[in-house]
Amino acid sequence: MRKNRIFKCVMAALLSAGMVLTGVNYCPGGGQESKAAVTLPTPIYENDFEKEDAAKGTIVGGGSIVNATDTTHGKVFENAAVEGGDTKRANFFQLPAALFNSNAAQIAEKKGITVSFAVNANGKSVMYSPVFSAYGAAPVNGENTFPMFIIQGRQLIQFNANGFCDFTDADNVNGKNVESIDYMKDNGWHTVTVTISDNKAVYYVDGLPANSWNHAVPGFLNAAGIGSLNYICLGGNQAWNWADDDAFYQFDDVKIYAEALSSAQVYKLATGSESSSDKTNLEAALAKANAVRQELYTEQSSTEFRS
């Protein structure tokens, strides 16, 4: 059993390594194919926290703008929540209330939205702490209700606004969700990016897809859907009345776009460089790696996962 597990770990590592992208497209005949440079649109919101700016949002709870724990990120938002501190729906950075509503027409026209930010859990990540959430109002009596949109740290999302989707295994293009916070356990910075179009959603970590789903809720991308969300939170405010603490992490480089970025754009946003590997081969490698990783996760104690 141990040998089998070690083999799977090695295979997962090799497959993940195989996902590293080169810098050119290779043609079947062995030549190289040039391609146009990848460009990013102008975000409808961005915040690098280098200076406090009330127009970009306010701190709820006891969080603060601090120097990052490393030298690569300068000033960052550090949430005040503490591990095991029973801080639910009380500590986060609240973005401008009109952010989605004032851009709803553009989101509807482009049929998509992208939310991206850097996160550093300083090696103390928690399975069920949310990293981004948005509702139609502040919590009432310690609970949230729909309309809502949430990004969980464990590589899952959910929305219920002018239609709903729970993004279950059945919605996943690979037939199985990969739930993991392993990427946050190394004391390093990682870029989480979620793109939602009118029929697809993708959760990326460091520019590579962790989960990809189909959905049939195009109404989410209009004024009655995402435009109804005006209580927008980075770093906490778990959905419903779930008893999960706010994330006690550091956050930086928040960018929100009124369109669903392509996989090439997400990779450039996360890494600063351009990928040009064959998309079909890349997605096949990702699917294999994710399947192996999920098998490993299901062998862990069931107490780590929500029932």
Side-chain angles (χ1 to χ4, degrees):
M1 177 62 112
R2 178 175 174 82
K3 288 183 178 179
N4 187 40
R5 182 174 176 81
I6 292 174
F7 172 76
K8 288 186 219 171
C9 289
V10 171
M11 283 299 296
L14 289 174
L15 287 165
S16 296
M19 288 183 252
V20 175
L21 307 177
T22 59
V24 292
N25 285 335
Y26 286 89
C27 301
Q32 295 182 359
E33 176 187 340
S34 61
K35 67 170 191 173
V38 175
T39 60
L40 292 169
T42 301
I44 58 174
Y45 176 89
E46 59 183 326
N47 195 347
D48 62 7
F49 299 104
E50 287 306 309
K51 62 180 181 179
E52 295 190 40
D53 184 349
K56 293 188 175 182
T58 57
I59 295 172
V60 174
S64 58
I65 307 301
V66 301
N67 291 317
T69 50
D70 63 4
T71 60
T72 63
H73 276 260
K75 299 287 186 181
V76 300
F77 167 62
E78 183 172 73
N79 213 0
V82 295
E83 186 174 11
D86 193 27
T87 52
K88 301 172 183 64
R89 291 171 279 276
N91 293 276
F92 42 84
F93 185 86
Q94 186 179 354
L95 279 63
L99 174 61
F100 290 145
N101 183 264
S102 63
N103 291 282
Q106 185 180 354
I107 293 169
E109 179 184 359
K110 294 285 189 178
K111 298 181 179 180
I113 189 166
T114 298
V115 176
S116 182
F117 50 85
V119 59
N120 188 340
N122 295 311
K124 297 180 179 180
S125 53
V126 174
M127 190 68 178
Y128 297 108
S129 291
V131 287
F132 184 92
S133 61
Y135 304 91
V140 177
N141 297 324
E143 297 185 11
N144 284 308
T145 185
F146 68 90
M148 59 84 74
F149 164 44
I150 196 160
I151 301 174
Q152 302 286 0
R154 66 186 194 274
Q155 302 179 164
L156 297 182
I157 67 172
Q158 181 184 35
F159 64 62
N160 188 337
N162 199 27
F164 73 91
C165 187
D166 291 331
F167 297 95
T168 64
D169 290 344
D171 301 308
N172 196 298
V173 298
N174 293 317
K176 184 74 173 177
N177 284 337
V178 177
E179 297 187 48
S180 175
I181 54 171
D182 283 358
Y183 69 93
M184 288 196 285
K185 293 180 177 180
D186 62 356
N187 293 289
W189 284 94
H190 297 279
T191 300
V192 169
T193 306
V194 170
T195 64
I196 301 175
S197 71
D198 59 348
N199 60 10
K200 188 175 182 179
V202 186
Y203 193 120
Y204 296 86
V205 176
D206 294 330
L208 295 176
N211 281 304
S212 181
W213 306 271
N214 295 316
H215 75 85
V217 194
F220 174 69
L221 297 169
N222 61 30
I226 197 165
S228 68
L229 306 177
N230 54 38
Y231 200 80
I232 309 164
C233 315
L234 176 71
N237 201 11
Q238 179 63 296
W240 319 124
N241 63 351
W242 290 343
D244 303 308
D245 291 338
D246 298 324
F248 46 88
Y249 310 156
Q250 292 185 344
F251 295 86
D252 199 13
D253 297 332
V254 186
K255 289 185 173 67
I256 298 177
Y257 299 87
E259 61 183 89
L261 298 185
S262 68
S263 57
Q265 288 174 314
V266 171
Y267 187 80
K268 185 169 184 176
L269 176 63
T271 68
S273 59
E274 297 186 12
S275 65
S276 53
S277 175
D278 179 78
K279 183 178 179 181
T280 302
N281 291 337
L282 172 61
E283 290 183 345
L286 284 166
K288 290 179 182 179
N290 283 340
V292 174
R293 289 164 57 202
Q294 185 61 48
E295 189 174 351
L296 292 172
Y297 301 145
T298 55
E299 290 177 5
Q300 297 174 356
S301 170
S302 60
T303 60
E304 188 180 7
F305 295 92
R306 185 190 301 278
S307 59

